[in-house]
Amino acid sequence: LFFVFLFYYMFFVVLIFFFFLMIRRPPRSTLSSSSAASDVYKRQVSTQSTGNGMMAFMSRLLVPLVLLCPGTCQPNILLFFPDELRYDWLSSDVYYTNHDLPLAVPNLQALLRQGVSFSRAFVPSPVCAPSRACLAAGREYDWAGQGENAASSEFDGDFDLRQPTYMQQLQRLGYWTMVTGRDDLTKRTGPGLDGGYHTSELGFNASFRCAGSVDVTGGECGGFDHGAAPCRGNWSKESQRFHLVHDPYGAYLASQPVSNVSVRERYNASNYFELAVARYDELYSRGEYDSAAWYAIPDTLPFEQDHYQDDWIGRQAVRLLEEAPSRRPWFLEVSHQAPHPPMDITPAMEAGMAGRATGWPAAYDCVDGPLCSDSAVQRMRRNYASKIERLDALLGNYLDVIAARGELNTTVICVASDHGDMLADRNGTAKSKPWNSAAMVPFSCSGPGIARGEVVHSPVATLDLAATLVELAGGTPVAGMNSSSLLKTLHDPTVVPTRRAVFSGLGDFRSVVLNVNASVAFRLVCCNGACPGGSSEDRREMVRRGSGIEVHLFNIMGREYERGSVGRVAGRFEPPWADFAVGHTYDTVLRELAALLPGARQDPNAGFSWRGCNISDWVDRE
């Protein structure tokens, strides 16, 4: 009787599926060949979910089949998600710069060799909370409700819970969903002292969440006004500030006594939370956050390795894996703190970098200030590398636990990040800038059904990881998401990703990448006013035109960073771009790319105001 029921059930599902294929409209092209192709950005938001009602209905029909074979019909999913990991610091075989990195990351390298990597992956927004909110909601920056870190007034600066998340969809598909680390989805309010603030509403069954870096010792009493556990406080004599223990990692530090007498006396700290407060006060006394004082740090973090934040996150990840149900597919996001600044490393990590004080790639277009000295660049990049190597070791622990569960061959592992770091490129540090160093990240998946050792060079959006994981689990994105699945490309890398226009933005700048062919992918950067991290020459050009916007056009295929922008003479392309631009002028391409960007938007709740990219103000003022 069981097999009779299964036969008729499958027959019914297949019948509805073919009916859907016959009635579904083909998606409209996202390529612009004339001015009539207008706003692809809006169209992607509104039309990517065409047929989603029917597809969501199909997903519900398939749920009973999922329950018949838990843990076998669907793969487990591990999302390894470091914070601030730029695209060019993992593999010279995949990413097209920094070929001589003296970096030891055997676990990450193995995953790259065993799966499919995307060498040109752009984040929806180059800063923590907005990028993560976009991924969770599967929506572009202008529509995800998180314009800046902790900027939203309507939702206390946190993720807009009116939006469905891909984690909720995984739950509905039968997954046990877990998260550990700094997911930044309650960025302003914090995760709460117990780490559980809004965890279930976001779509997680189990969690060990924490704040990140300086947010652990400062900021607001995370979630206390919303029902989370009460906070405890520590008074810092050095800064005359009241520091709240308001997240699980801070509570852990407060429970650990400082046993080293010299460290205890130097920092006047009896426990590790007080030590963390004193260490941050020391760094602030040397310079502003994101300055050379926080990047080219000459001494080590006075922490034993077990108390380092990523080691704490790693232990929670292992615990979640060990406690995950064995007869149910699981999803785990491990959201690490590193290699986010400060570039503070422990004595053990310092010892691991012996003999590698130099040999790290130089910063580009860094021409002024203490950031740009060779010693500062080498120190910050060596410490950045040390943080990545520590992450690789922790990743090895997760792989060991998955192997011990007998699930390594049934687990898909994806690696990505929320944004990169300038690391002194263009005289800057940190993120929040439109340039590739901040806006591009590693992106790779490996596991059952995924091609091995392949690299896809077509530009993609990390935003599309949401739809990819939902489809991998047997579902389809809900209406309102404009994330496009990359699953077909993961199965067969010769399949070109369906998204041709890739967007990124923050505050008063936006960018779009349009894939043309294997050798040309144009990237337009448009800023209201001067671009952050732009050169004095860029600003002079904007002033000369009197346009109020700054515009850059690059070809990102085969070029490092933004050096070598597309040239023009009298409004037309210089060689070799003239070969591509038959029938097009430089200015018409600029207009077409600008037309793909969102129009003027003001969203006080999301925390941004964007005047649009009126390219006529630029091209008509020669």
Side-chain angles (χ1 to χ4, degrees), residues 332-360:
L332 171 62
E333 175 188 339
V334 184
S335 198
H336 273 287
Q337 156 69 17
H340 190 287
M343 297 303 162
D344 221 357
I345 61 175
T346 66
M349 295 165 68
E350 171 90 6
M353 302 305 289
R356 291 184 287 168
T358 60
W360 305 100

Side-chain angles (χ1 to χ4, degrees), residues 448-595:
I450 296 176
R452 295 175 61 89
E454 299 287 345
V455 180
V456 176
H457 295 296
S458 299
V460 297
T462 58
L463 170 73
D464 292 338
L465 186 58
T468 303
L469 297 183
V470 170
E471 186 176 1
L472 183 68
T476 50
V478 299
M481 287 189 177
N482 62 302
S483 178
S484 301
S485 175
L486 296 166
L487 191 59
K488 290 182 179 178
T489 304
L490 291 176
H491 290 162
D492 179 1
T494 64
V495 176
V496 178
T498 57
R499 178 190 290 273
R500 302 296 296 278
V502 178
F503 302 98
S504 184
L506 178 66
D508 55 7
F509 66 80
R510 300 291 185 276
S511 76
V512 58
V513 178
L514 190 65
N515 192 32
V516 178
N517 54 43
S519 59
V520 176
F522 284 125
R523 183 174 191 231
L524 173 70
V525 174
C526 183
C527 305
N528 293 164
C531 291
S535 67
S536 56
E537 181 180 348
D538 297 331
R539 291 185 176 87
R540 283 194 297 271
E541 177 71 359
M542 181 185 70
V543 172
R544 183 182 72 81
R545 292 174 182 271
S547 63
I549 63 172
E550 186 176 315
V551 173
H552 299 265
L553 181 65
F554 308 102
N555 175 37
I556 65 166
M557 304 300 280
R559 289 178 177 267
E560 295 184 5
Y561 310 104
E562 291 83 20
R563 286 172 286 182
S565 57
V566 176
R568 65 174 176 173
V569 176
R572 295 190 175 276
F573 284 98
E574 289 181 342
W577 312 114
D579 295 336
F580 155 74
V582 175
H584 293 75
T585 67
Y586 183 100
D587 289 349
T588 59
V589 169
L590 280 183
R591 290 179 190 275
E592 292 175 15
L593 289 170

Side-chain angles (χ1 to χ4, degrees), residues 23 93 150 217 262 372 465 514 574 599:
I23 66 171
D93 297 330
T217 60
S262 62
C372 300
L465 186 58
L514 190 65
E574 289 181 342

Side-chain angles (χ1 to χ4, degrees), residues 246-294:
H246 63 274
D247 85 313
Y249 175 59
Y252 164 78
L253 292 179
S255 71
Q256 302 299 307
V258 177
S259 57
N260 186 302
V261 175
S262 62
V263 171
R264 186 170 65 240
E265 292 178 350
R266 174 185 172 184
Y267 290 97
N268 190 25
S270 62
N271 62 61
Y272 270 84
F273 184 84
E274 293 177 351
L275 180 57
V277 170
R279 177 59 171 175
Y280 285 140
D281 286 345
E282 182 178 49
L283 293 180
Y284 276 121
S285 72
R286 299 175 184 176
E288 294 294 325
Y289 188 78
D290 292 346
S291 70
W294 286 70

Side-chain angles (χ1 to χ4, degrees), residues 171-360:
Q171 283 183 322
R172 287 194 290 270
L173 291 164
Y175 274 73
W176 178 260
T177 57
M178 305 171 286
V179 63
T180 185
R182 55 166 303 174
D183 59 71
D184 280 345
L185 295 177
T186 51
K187 178 69 173 180
R188 181 174 181 178
T189 311
L193 188 58
D194 61 358
Y197 181 56
H198 279 169
T199 296
S200 60
E201 293 91 335
L202 289 166
F204 294 110
N205 296 103
S207 70
F208 287 102
R209 302 166 66 213
C210 63
S213 64
V214 294
D215 291 340
V216 172
T217 60
E220 301 184 19
C221 187
F224 177 58
D225 294 335
H226 304 273
C231 298
R232 295 178 293 166
N234 281 24
W235 179 259
S236 169
K237 295 179 181 178
E238 291 77 11
S239 65
Q240 299 295 299
R241 290 198 301 269
F242 190 70
H243 291 270
L244 295 169
V245 179
H246 63 274
D247 85 313
Y249 175 59
Y252 164 78
L253 292 179
S255 71
Q256 302 299 307
V258 177
S259 57
N260 186 302
V261 175
S262 62
V263 171
R264 186 170 65 240
E265 292 178 350
R266 174 185 172 184
Y267 290 97
N268 190 25
S270 62
N271 62 61
Y272 270 84
F273 184 84
E274 293 177 351
L275 180 57
V277 170
R279 177 59 171 175
Y280 285 140
D281 286 345
E282 182 178 49
L283 293 180
Y284 276 121
S285 72
R286 299 175 184 176
E288 294 294 325
Y289 188 78
D290 292 346
S291 70
W294 286 70
Y295 272 76
I297 301 176
D299 53 352
T300 59
L301 174 69
F303 272 36
E304 296 176 13
Q305 192 63 46
D306 281 350
H307 303 326
Y308 183 64
Q309 185 168 12
D310 285 292
D311 283 64
W312 181 88
I313 293 171
R315 291 195 296 275
Q316 313 318 310
V318 167
R319 179 177 171 182
L320 287 170
L321 284 170
E322 291 176 340
E323 295 177 355
S326 59
R327 294 288 296 167
R328 183 175 177 181
W330 53 261
F331 164 79
L332 171 62
E333 175 188 339
V334 184
S335 198
H336 273 287
Q337 156 69 17
H340 190 287
M343 297 303 162
D344 221 357
I345 61 175
T346 66
M349 295 165 68
E350 171 90 6
M353 302 305 289
R356 291 184 287 168
T358 60
W360 305 100

